[in-house]
């Protein structure tokens, strides 16, 4: 039995690209791998780069070396940029634009549907069907008009207005329970 159904419509509303970019940034932060090496890269590397930059600037001032000052400044800027870009909504804008273009092409040609049942999420388009278990969903995020579900290296984007016969609040409660704490509600 299907608990929730989304009939995929056009993704053309104003501001949808920016909203989706923010949603993807939030969801990716939530779904960040627990791998220690990747965690080190995302957290420790910008701090180390900034510390090295400060050291080089201090050394450059003491030795009156423009090279040390420039390299130190670049290290600080690089660390700050790396920290900012890895979590930035702006970094997700090109991805959001490609996703919306693809979703509109699917909507126009396939009349796709995304179904949710006790077995998981099922994506249907024409004669094709793909099933995704809830345990394979690494994160879910919600914005004012959208849901984003990250799974198996992919993302499923759903518009709340495409939900048939049920409320978005009901779906939010349902998916939160099904994916056991991997849900992120974004401020509206």
């Amino acid at each position: 039995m299907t608990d929730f159904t989304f009939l995929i419509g056009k993704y053309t509303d104003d501001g949808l690209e920016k909203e989706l970019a923010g949603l993807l940034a939030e969801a990716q932060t939530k779904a960040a791998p627990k791998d220690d090496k990747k965690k080190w890269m995302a957290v420790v590397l910008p701090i180390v780069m900034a510390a090295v930059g400060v050291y080089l600037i201090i050394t450059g001032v003491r030795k009156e070396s423009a090279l040390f000052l420039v390299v130190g400044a670049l290290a600080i800027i690089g660390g700050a940029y790396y920290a900012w870009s890895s979590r930035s909504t702006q970094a997700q804008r090109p991805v959001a634009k490609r996703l919306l273009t693809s979703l509109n092409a699917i909507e126009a040609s396939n009349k796709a549907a995304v179904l949710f049942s006790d077995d998981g999420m099922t994506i249907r388009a024409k004669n094709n069907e793909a099933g995704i278990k809830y345990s394979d969903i690494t994160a879910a995020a919600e914005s004012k008009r959208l849901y984003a579900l990250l799974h198996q290296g992919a993302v499923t984007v759903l518009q709340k207005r495409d939900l048939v016969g049920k409320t978005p609040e009901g779906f939010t409660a349902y998916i939160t329970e099904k994916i056991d704490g991997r849900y992120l509600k974004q401020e509206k």
Side-chain angles (χ1 to χ4, degrees):
M1 183 177 127
T2 300
D3 295 315
F4 289 88
T5 301
F6 288 83
L7 296 177
I8 305 305
K10 283 271 189 204
Y11 288 74
T12 56
D13 292 349
D14 289 340
L16 211 53
E17 182 181 315
K18 183 178 180 182
E19 187 175 328
L20 178 56
L23 193 61
L24 292 173
E26 291 294 328
Q28 286 183 335
T29 299
K30 177 76 173 176
K34 305 301 184 232
D35 181 19
D36 289 336
K37 185 176 181 181
K38 289 185 180 181
K39 192 182 292 184
W40 178 85
M41 291 294 288
V43 176
V44 177
L45 185 61
I47 294 169
V48 170
M49 288 179 71
V52 168
V54 169
Y55 172 77
L56 290 172
I57 288 175
I58 291 170
T59 303
V61 169
R62 285 187 183 162
K63 294 187 177 193
E64 297 180 8
S65 170
L67 180 62
F68 278 98
L69 293 172
V70 170
V71 173
L74 289 174
I76 291 171
I77 292 168
Y81 177 77
Y82 184 83
W84 173 80
S85 67
S86 66
R87 295 177 183 89
S88 170
T89 296
Q90 196 62 25
Q92 297 299 325
R93 287 297 285 263
V95 174
K97 185 174 185 168
R98 285 192 306 270
L99 265 172
L100 291 175
T101 300
S102 298
L103 288 166
N104 283 324
I106 289 169
E107 186 277 337
S109 65
N110 293 322
K111 295 299 176 193
V114 180
L115 314 167
F116 293 84
S117 67
D118 286 338
D119 298 328
M121 177 174 72
T122 303
I123 302 170
R124 287 189 185 152
K126 278 193 176 179
N127 298 327
N128 298 320
E129 188 172 292
I132 294 131
K133 297 176 187 172
Y134 291 118
S135 61
D136 291 336
I137 297 175
T138 55
E142 176 184 5
S143 68
K144 182 178 177 183
R145 297 176 286 180
L146 301 170
Y147 292 103
L149 304 166
L150 277 63
H151 52 87
Q152 303 164 326
V155 63
T156 298
V157 179
L158 302 168
Q159 293 183 98
K160 290 180 179 180
R161 71 178 185 191
D162 293 341
L163 181 60
V164 178
K166 306 250 177 136
T167 66
E169 295 79 16
F171 178 72
T172 298
Y174 177 85
I175 198 68
T176 301
E177 178 186 326
K178 292 294 184 183
I179 65 171
D180 192 34
R182 294 180 306 275
Y183 178 77
L184 174 69
K185 184 168 176 111
Q186 186 181 35
E187 293 300 316
K188 295 180 181 182

